[in-house]
Amino acid sequence: MRIGLRILVLASALLPMAAQAMTVETFLAKAKALQAKGPFALASSDLALLRDEVKDAGAAYRAQIEADRLAGKKPRACPPPVGQAKIDSKVVMAEFEALPPAKRKVSVQSAFYAMMDRRFPCK
């Protein structure tokens, strides 16, 4: 039994830790560092990291709206169909930079949800 417990402890130590949600503060710091690199930013892994962070937030947002719709709940917002929202990186950056420094400790997902809720209220 002791050997089994040791193996379990060792295996759990080797498993990757669960990813923590990126804060807006971290997102903006990485984005500004990329901007400072100019065209060399295209070779940075942080570019894909930031893009995926926003893409994942968007997918989760849409999934929540769809789940609410299927459950018969009122949706939190009514965004246009995928691809028609006209939200690009400049819009996201402007929204995140508009947050006061004290509010930049929220997750990118929370800030993205708030942005979408403001931009696309149900009529």
Side-chain angles (χ1 to χ4, degrees):
M1 187 71 160
R2 282 185 158 178
I3 293 174
L5 181 60
R6 287 181 187 168
I7 291 172
L8 181 61
V9 169
L10 181 60
S12 65
L14 295 175
L15 291 174
M17 298 181 86
Q20 291 185 340
M22 183 183 294
T23 65
V24 170
E25 185 175 56
T26 301
F27 184 94
L28 289 173
K30 288 182 177 292
K32 288 178 197 274
L34 286 172
Q35 287 173 343
K37 289 182 178 184
F40 296 107
L42 295 174
S44 174
S45 61
D46 278 348
L47 184 62
L49 177 71
L50 297 182
R51 188 177 335 136
D52 289 347
E53 192 74 23
V54 173
K55 184 178 174 186
D56 292 348
Y61 184 80
R62 295 245 182 219
Q64 182 185 11
I65 288 174
E66 181 62 13
D68 288 348
R69 185 188 70 75
L70 292 173
K73 296 179 183 176
K74 181 182 175 194
R76 63 184 298 142
C78 297
V82 175
Q84 295 180 14
K86 306 293 185 219
I87 304 283
D88 62 14
S89 61
K90 290 178 184 176
V91 170
V92 172
M93 285 295 293
E95 288 278 343
F96 288 0
E97 287 174 335
L99 290 172
K103 296 205 177 204
R104 292 181 181 181
K105 301 226 182 286
V106 301
S107 70
V108 167
Q109 181 171 326
S110 293
F112 185 87
Y113 278 36
M115 173 188 76
M116 294 296 284
D117 290 350
R118 277 190 313 278
R119 286 181 169 270
F120 303 108
C122 295
K123 296 176 184 174

